[in-house]
Amino acid sequence: MGKRQTLAILRFKQQDAATPKAIFCRGAVRDDFANTPMNVTLKGQTRHYRTVDFDEAKNQVLLIEQRLLPHEFKIIGTQDMVETAAAIKDMVVRGAGAIGATAAFGLAQGARAYRGHDLAGFKRWVGQVYQTLKNARPTAVDPVNAMDWMLRRMEQGTAVKEIQAIALAAAREFADEDAEHCAAIGRQGAKLIKNGMRVLTHCNAGWLAFVDVGSATAPIYAAWEQGKKFHVFCDETRPRCQGATLTAWELAQQGVPHQVIADNAAGFLMRRGEIDLVIVGSDRVLGRTGEVANKIGTYTKAVLAHENKIPFYAAIPLSTIDWNLRRGEDIPIEERGEEEVLGAWGVTKRGKREYVRVANPTSGARNPGFDVTPAKYITGIITPAGIFKPGALWTRREKLGFTRN
Ligand code: MRU
């Protein structure tokens, strides 16, 4: 690990209302988004960072190296679309919205790397770039939704140079909208959080999982900004510990009171009446059924919340809705390497990042990355356009950006 750096994120600064660019829900989202960007202070210097950005001159996708957090803050630039796909696969960047924006910029990056004027050859190349980025991680639908939307835009161009320019403009538009949708989720969801509540969240659905602001954390940050006093429990989220590392880091920077709990502790706390509300993110919500795919362990928490009569919400931008699949069983669930379960990454007292084996040396492991929660366990879906019962997504599909492919 490199030099340890002190980080602090300043409190939100309300900015002028941003112009809405509602890609997935044109006309559906209010046009008075609060813009609540995340600012990071490094060695006394405060700057607004986006989790995903693009360097036009170098044709690089810029990413916060999330595997190093919370111990080191570093921005990397991917040289080409193969490196961009690898960054998604290896979880340099992770979280449905963030990998959606990364895939969008990766598609633009790949398109812009094409040399020559041959339109047919260019389109074949763009098809390869699309597949490479799509295959990087299978469960989140945001990358596919983002790239499909970009391809429709790119069809409007008639020459290679023109299409390359459209691709980059579209990727930027997707990224901007991701941030705007998250801010709107905060405005919609903040009313669910009351003074004195204890809120549980799972994995990281924060600003690191999006371009900015976050989904499950958006209501938390908005309620905090409104001056409400509450407490957040972060599930540690084994095996990769996104709750203990990323969500806890974000909340600490924002000054939101919180504690990390072992994944298995949530049921105990719920039964004791020590959790009042659960808010999670999602990698794919089925628009037809309201089923929610999210980080492994979400289903367990939803069943426990239901059993203990605790409201359970999923917070999503509209790019997380899959209008095509008809059954949760059909959602592709990523199986990851067994080393994630058999050991853990951490930082030694000397600041060196190391992997340690925890499990019995001769044992193997099974590592499904996500699970699917049936609609009956979900109280509501918090979207930029309002809070809906899971079963109401389909009936309200026009408002929620449904488009026929
Ligand atoms: O494997 P990860 O870290 O990409 O998983 C992330 C999650 O499961 C988040 O909860 C999810 O992406 C919703 S927030 C974008």
Side-chain angles (χ1 to χ4, degrees):
M1 198 190 80
K3 232 185 317 169
R4 201 184 163 94
Q5 292 166 311
T6 312
L7 304 176
I9 300 178
L10 290 186
R11 287 174 66 73
F12 290 134
K13 204 171 133 221
Q14 201 87 351
Q15 294 191 340
D16 293 342
T19 311
K21 299 183 192 77
I23 292 170
F24 291 97
C25 57
R26 204 164 294 284
V29 179
R30 290 166 52 177
D31 62 359
D32 55 351
F33 292 109
N35 196 358
T36 49
M38 298 295 160
N39 296 307
V40 178
T41 302
L42 293 168
K43 294 182 182 167
Q45 295 280 338
T46 302
R47 243 198 75 180
H48 171 236
Y49 286 91
R50 282 188 159 192
T51 305
V52 184
D53 214 333
F54 194 76
D55 183 328
E56 197 167 334
K58 294 186 178 153
N59 200 34
Q60 289 183 358
V61 183
L62 304 178
L63 301 168
I64 295 175
E65 216 315 358
Q66 299 197 30
R67 297 172 304 181
L68 302 180
L69 286 170
H71 310 290
E72 187 182 359
F73 185 90
K74 186 176 168 186
I75 307 279
I76 62 133
T78 59
Q79 302 292 332
D80 55 33
M81 69 90 181
V82 175
E83 269 191 33
T84 304
I88 295 173
K89 191 176 173 55
D90 299 338
M91 294 177 69
V92 169
V93 59
R94 31 66 51 205
I99 64 174
T102 305
F105 281 125
L107 188 66
Q109 178 186 42
R112 294 174 90 237
Y114 186 83
R115 297 280 166 261
H117 305 281
D118 170 22
L119 201 56
F122 175 65
K123 286 188 176 169
R124 278 196 300 278
W125 166 245
V126 168
Q128 283 173 34
V129 176
Y130 174 97
Q131 276 308 328
T132 306
L133 292 160
K134 181 182 173 190
N135 294 342
R137 290 192 80 188
T139 302
V141 76
D142 304 62
V144 173
N145 278 342
M147 291 193 295
D148 284 349
W149 175 80
M150 282 177 66
L151 289 181
R152 288 197 289 277
R153 275 281 173 97
M154 288 158 72
E155 275 165 17
Q156 291 161 14
T158 51
V160 171
K161 274 253 162 310
E162 185 193 1
I163 300 172
Q164 288 170 329
I166 293 173
L168 182 54
R172 286 203 189 283
E173 196 175 331
F174 178 85
D176 289 348
E177 189 190 67
D178 182 85
E180 288 164 5
H181 275 198
C182 286
I185 289 168
R187 297 157 64 91
Q188 297 287 352
K191 54 182 166 275
L192 300 173
I193 300 176
K194 311 265 190 289
N195 269 322
M197 271 190 164
R198 283 100 9 127
V199 182
L200 176 73
T201 190
H202 189 69
C203 193
N204 173 263
W207 65 286
L208 293 165
F210 289 88
V211 173
D212 211 340
V213 184
S215 61
T217 53
I220 291 171
Y221 294 144
W224 187 247
E225 188 68 4
Q226 289 166 2
K228 293 179 188 169
K229 298 280 175 263
F230 54 92
H231 187 85
V232 179
F233 287 115
C234 312
D235 278 341
E236 125 194 83
T237 321
R238 279 286 290 154
R240 289 187 71 101
C241 294
Q242 293 94 326
T245 56
L246 306 178
T247 306
W249 177 73
E250 284 190 26
L251 293 174
Q253 302 308 322
Q254 290 299 120
V256 178
H258 67 283
Q259 287 170 306
V260 177
I261 58 170
D263 290 320
N264 294 332
F268 170 79
L269 293 176
M270 286 183 187
R271 189 145 177 78
R272 287 263 176 123
E274 294 185 39
I275 291 174
D276 305 296
L277 174 68
V278 187
I279 310 180
V280 299
S282 174
D283 290 82
R284 188 185 300 236
V285 172
L286 298 198
R288 290 170 187 271
T289 66
E291 288 158 284
V292 169
N294 194 44
K295 179 54 56 196
I296 193 78
T298 302
Y299 167 60
T300 317
K301 300 303 148 68
V303 175
L304 283 166
H306 189 257
E307 168 70 16
N308 290 283
K309 300 188 173 40
I310 297 165
F312 184 99
Y313 288 88
I316 56 161
L318 302 186
S319 61
T320 301
I321 304 178
D322 180 333
W323 295 110
N324 297 318
L325 288 186
R326 290 168 187 274
R327 305 177 325 153
E329 299 96 284
D330 296 334
I331 298 174
I333 299 296
E334 179 181 14
E335 292 272 349
R336 295 191 60 87
E338 59 180 10
E339 73 289 349
E340 290 182 352
V341 175
L342 298 173
W345 286 94
V347 168
T348 66
K349 279 189 180 155
R350 289 166 177 262
K352 191 169 177 310
R353 187 168 179 269
E354 273 184 10
Y355 173 85
V356 290
R357 173 85 183 199
V358 176
N360 172 47
T362 56
S363 300
R366 174 89 192 273
N367 188 12
F370 299 89
D371 57 30
V372 180
T373 300
K376 68 177 178 181
Y377 296 120
I378 296 160
T379 312
I381 311 278
I382 310 169
T383 77
I387 303 176
F388 299 92
K389 290 272 169 216
L393 294 180
W394 184 246
T395 45
R396 308 295 290 276
R397 59 190 179 280
E398 301 304 336
K399 188 177 166 73
L400 293 168
F402 169 80
T403 47
R404 267 168 231 289
N405 288 331

